[in-house]
Amino acid sequence: MHIDIDRDVCIGAGQCALAAPGVFTQDDDGFSELLPGREDGGDPMVREAARACPVSAISVE
């Protein structure tokens, strides 16, 4: 599984960090980013986090 966050689209709503706090966090500017070492997307809530994003900035393949 590969997770991609389109930082040009992200508005910093934080829904991803709420849905999958073990994978996503927010940077100092409030935008979504992956926690170090979680790029593999092993958490079952990753897809839910992508669906929760109000601007569809997260893609999971």
Side-chain angles (χ1 to χ4, degrees), residues 14 23 25 29 34 36 47 60:
V23 178
T25 189
D29 295 320
L34 293 171
R47 291 191 190 281
V60 181

Side-chain angles (χ1 to χ4, degrees), residues 6 9-13 50-58:
D6 187 337
V9 175
C10 180
I11 60 171
R51 282 190 290 274
C53 180
V55 293
S56 300
I58 301 170

Side-chain angles (χ1 to χ4, degrees), residues 1 3 19-20 23-24 41-51 58 60:
M1 181 182 309
I3 304 166
V23 178
F24 297 96
D43 189 310
M45 293 302 292
V46 168
R47 291 191 190 281
E48 179 59 34
R51 282 190 290 274
I58 301 170
V60 181

Side-chain angles (χ1 to χ4, degrees), residues 7 10 12 17 24-34:
R7 294 188 50 90
C10 180
F24 297 96
T25 189
Q26 290 179 285
D27 66 14
D28 292 338
D29 295 320
F31 295 104
S32 179
E33 67 180 8
L34 293 171

